[in-house]
Amino acid sequence: MSSTSSPSTPEVSKIVNDKIRNIAIIAHVDHGKTTLVDSMFRQSGILRDNEQLQERAMDSHDLERERGITILSKNTAIPYGEYKINVLDTPGHADFSGEVERVLTMVDGALLIVDAVEGPMPQTRFVLRKALSLGLKVVVVVNKVDRPAASPEKAIDKVIDLFIELGAGEEQLEFPVVYACGLDGTSTLDMSEPLTDLKPLLDTIIKEIPPPPGDKQGSLQLQVSTLDYNDYLGRIVVGRIRRGILKQGETISLVDREGKASQHRVTKLFGFQGLKRIEIDLAEAGDIVAVAGIPEVKIGETLCKLGELDPLPPIDIEEPTLKMTFSVNTSPLAGREGQFVTSRQIKDRLWKEVKSNISLRVEEGLTSESFIVSGRGELHLSILIETMRREGYEFQVSKPEVLLKTIDGVVHEPQEELLLDVPDENAGICIERLALRKGELQQMTSLNGRTMLEFRIPSRGLLGFRSDFIRMTRGQGLITAVFDKYVPHMGDISSPRNGVIVANEQGQTTAYALKNLEDRGTFFVHPRTTVYDGMIVGENNRQQDIRVNICKAKRLTNMRSATSDVLEVLSTPIEVTLEFGLDFIQGEELMEVTPESIRLRKP
């Protein structure tokens, strides 16, 4: 490595805290990084004999546990002998790049975890590029070596190719390798030897990752990397002390992005031990701490010694690529299910999110009841929507749109790197559909009955593709996309979606009406579902929209027929999920989001 500190870190005169190691764990989604941290907890002996560790303990957010992905970056501390290893678990998905980038500024090295079968994947490329650009020391962990189709040698070859592709230097290519099975908590430095415990991995971290630079004799310097909130303590700042010493109870200066300083008292100072915060009296340069007592603070601002202002450069974050409009729900069913429904409540919640979610942008909309929210991708925005609806908010959102840029007088649009893993028989239809969306096939490989397809495609081309992809592959395909770069606008993309079936009156749907309309298309509603005029209740078989009376009841007579008591069997409707709705709506159509329901409608 040519450097072990980020470009924003000033040169220091000496290294302190040589018993501390600050590392980030970076990997593709579902390559086992959070499970590996669970095993590191057990190996360290931090748990009591009678203390149970919840599976995927670092995934503390409800959505993380449900989706099996890491959304929010989190840090913990693992004691190992006389050393303390600060571990930061980072999201593997590029939509949460803001979480990734600010975490990488707090560490001196990274564990790059790759699957022994799949090798590095697109999300691996994104996060690794960030780590290499910051000059971080990388230790490669080949995980899941116990899988039947595991090929650790091929995985390492792919990692070397990826390092070269990302412009790694000769020293960076000489990375140490550890082979592991995170689920079992075992590792080894040589595949010819049996896997034991995680001691080989932890020893490698101590040996290869440099201690944090920092002069504890200098004046205080701490950059805010993460924000948290506590009902009793208020706003809590998390960051690494770059220089100096921080004490509980002392008065410090906060320097904002404009260079303005304000004074605050450190009411509480916390260190980390396992998954817990422990109150401490003093912390030195190199350690990661949590600070309470600063009510108004933003990501990237700097805490300095009182009267000695020396702020660090703000954290550079990737710009948003998608935008959508959040507005007050105006449907006939508005206000029936949500607790927070007014424009003021929605605005306050969005501005609160911006304070900690630095990849997000919020602007005033065309009306006082609408707000333009920009994010890093569909997943980034959908997580925000799902979080808000679980908190009791009710609102409506528009179709996501890409953010265009004008560079040297030419309109540019974001381009994605797309990777599909599909059964062999579905490869042809996927290539055909993506060609219609301006997708360019870069690479195609086949192994064990499955085909890997790599594309370059405009972000616009992916809008609405995921739900179509699930149907094409019957749920057996895997899709991953990561932002690549801005390219000149690639022209119009024709919409492959058919027209929609729209209800023409308010009421409850009936089995009789649904049965009679089944030949018109596929429905999204069950019998006895409340609908209203303008609500989208299905997808038409043809290109045009149609309006139907889906609440029509069977006429009652005093005459019996031979089929009057025959049970009507209806086709199973499509469930309208959040992701399906964002993919499905087009043009001016809207998605109504409440704590209990997700509905699609015409404006």
Side-chain angles (χ1 to χ4, degrees), residues 101-324:
E101 291 168 87
R102 69 191 188 199
V103 161
L104 292 182
T105 63
M106 288 198 288
V107 299
D108 306 290
L111 296 186
L112 173 63
I113 302 177
V114 298
D115 191 293
V117 176
E118 299 175 352
M121 301 285 275
Q123 308 298 352
T124 312
R125 177 181 285 107
F126 165 77
V127 188
L128 181 60
R129 181 190 296 122
K130 296 293 181 184
L132 293 177
S133 67
L134 291 172
L136 299 182
K137 177 72 174 182
V138 179
V139 174
V140 175
V141 180
V142 181
N143 197 24
K144 304 183 182 181
V145 294
D146 59 327
R147 292 179 62 181
S151 180
E153 296 80 8
K154 290 184 179 179
I156 292 298
D157 289 342
K158 291 180 180 179
V159 171
I160 294 174
D161 292 340
L162 179 57
F163 271 60
I164 295 173
E165 181 183 337
L166 297 178
E170 292 184 8
E171 292 184 15
Q172 292 175 322
L173 286 170
E174 297 296 328
F175 50 80
V177 179
V178 180
Y179 304 93
C181 176
L183 192 61
D184 295 338
T186 57
S187 65
T188 182
L189 300 180
D190 189 341
M191 282 301 293
S192 63
E193 299 178 1
L195 276 73
T196 56
D197 53 18
L198 287 181
K199 190 174 184 297
L201 172 60
L202 296 172
D203 286 342
T204 302
I205 292 173
I206 300 301
K207 177 183 176 182
E208 299 291 343
I209 303 299
D215 181 6
K216 68 178 180 180
Q217 304 300 330
S219 61
L220 175 66
Q221 198 177 50
L222 182 153
Q223 188 164 45
V224 179
S225 297
T226 305
L227 294 176
D228 198 357
Y229 184 81
N230 182 281
D231 290 336
Y232 299 101
L233 300 175
R235 180 74 67 196
I236 297 177
V237 168
V238 179
R240 178 175 127 184
I241 302 176
R242 299 286 181 179
R243 192 176 62 203
I245 295 175
L246 181 61
K247 299 178 182 178
Q248 184 169 181
E250 77 170 303
T251 302
I252 50 91
S253 294
L254 170 68
V255 184
D256 63 19
R257 289 176 175 265
E258 285 73 40
K260 298 179 181 178
S262 57
Q263 294 184 14
H264 303 275
R265 180 176 175 270
V266 178
T267 57
K268 293 288 183 181
L269 180 63
F270 298 95
F272 294 90
Q273 183 175 356
L275 294 172
K276 303 173 184 176
R277 288 179 183 154
I278 56 174
E279 189 171 342
I280 57 178
D281 296 323
L282 178 146
E284 299 178 344
D287 207 356
I288 296 174
V289 295
V291 183
I294 309 173
E296 294 297 328
V297 59
K298 296 180 180 178
I299 298 290
E301 297 178 346
T302 307
L303 304 185
C304 299
K305 187 174 181 179
L306 185 64
E308 299 183 19
L309 307 183
D310 186 15
L312 289 161
I315 300 172
D316 187 25
I317 303 297
E318 293 278 2
E319 292 295 316
T321 57
L322 283 182
K323 68 176 181 180
M324 60 197 313

Side-chain angles (χ1 to χ4, degrees), residues 563-596:
T563 60
S564 61
D565 295 327
V566 175
L567 181 66
E568 296 284 7
V569 180
L570 300 174
S571 299
T572 303
I574 295 175
E575 181 185 2
V576 179
T577 63
L578 186 59
E579 286 76 12
F580 175 84
L582 289 176
D583 282 348
F584 186 82
I585 57 176
Q586 292 187 354
E588 301 298 318
E589 296 169 354
L590 299 168
M591 181 170 69
E592 177 186 350
V593 179
T594 78
E596 299 178 18

Side-chain angles (χ1 to χ4, degrees), residues 356-412:
S356 59
N357 193 340
I358 56 177
S359 295
L360 204 68
R361 302 285 186 274
V362 177
E363 306 170 73
E364 299 286 349
L366 297 178
T367 69
S368 61
E369 296 188 339
S370 64
F371 310 93
I372 299 173
V373 181
S374 305
R376 289 283 297 144
E378 277 188 281
L379 182 59
H380 186 204
L381 294 172
S382 69
I383 291 295
L384 171 61
I385 295 171
E386 180 65 25
T387 301
M388 289 179 63
R389 73 183 288 246
R390 291 189 182 202
E391 293 173 356
Y393 287 84
E394 178 178 325
F395 52 98
Q396 63 189 22
V397 298
S398 67
K399 175 182 175 61
E401 302 176 41
V402 298
L403 291 168
L404 305 178
K405 283 185 177 181
T406 301
I407 304 174
D408 297 330
V410 179
V411 176
H412 284 61

Side-chain angles (χ1 to χ4, degrees), residues 367-538:
T367 69
S368 61
E369 296 188 339
S370 64
F371 310 93
I372 299 173
V373 181
S374 305
R376 289 283 297 144
E378 277 188 281
L379 182 59
H380 186 204
L381 294 172
S382 69
I383 291 295
L384 171 61
I385 295 171
E386 180 65 25
T387 301
M388 289 179 63
R389 73 183 288 246
R390 291 189 182 202
E391 293 173 356
Y393 287 84
E394 178 178 325
F395 52 98
Q396 63 189 22
V397 298
S398 67
K399 175 182 175 61
E401 302 176 41
V402 298
L403 291 168
L404 305 178
K405 283 185 177 181
T406 301
I407 304 174
D408 297 330
V410 179
V411 176
H412 284 61
E413 64 176 330
Q415 178 178 265
E416 306 272 340
E417 181 181 321
L418 176 68
L419 186 69
L420 305 182
D421 181 352
V422 300
D424 288 343
E425 61 269 20
N426 300 133
I429 186 65
C430 289
I431 295 173
E432 180 183 336
R433 294 290 177 86
L434 287 170
L436 297 175
R437 294 170 174 266
K438 305 288 187 182
E440 299 177 356
L441 182 63
Q442 304 294 311
Q443 189 172 350
M444 177 177 176
T445 56
S446 183
L447 179 66
N448 299 328
R450 296 186 70 85
T451 300
M452 303 280 286
L453 303 169
E454 185 178 328
F455 289 86
R456 295 290 190 278
I457 184 170
S459 297
R460 291 180 299 131
L462 285 179
L463 298 178
F465 175 71
R466 285 175 172 81
S467 56
D468 192 27
F469 175 74
I470 292 173
R471 289 196 292 266
M472 286 190 298
T473 61
R474 295 180 176 86
Q476 299 183 50
L478 301 174
I479 179 172
T480 304
V482 59
F483 172 75
D484 182 29
K485 58 184 177 181
Y486 270 85
V487 298
H489 196 275
M490 301 181 69
D492 294 334
I493 297 177
S494 59
S495 170
R497 197 199 78 178
N498 290 334
V500 294
I501 304 173
V502 183
N504 65 3
E505 66 175 50
Q506 185 164 337
Q508 286 195 333
T509 59
T510 65
Y512 175 74
L514 287 169
K515 186 64 178 178
N516 288 335
L517 293 169
E518 273 192 335
D519 60 338
R520 297 296 188 96
T522 305
F523 284 94
F524 303 154
V525 293
H526 295 270
R528 301 189 63 80
T529 299
T530 301
V531 298
Y532 53 82
D533 184 15
M535 179 172 164
I536 297 173
V537 294

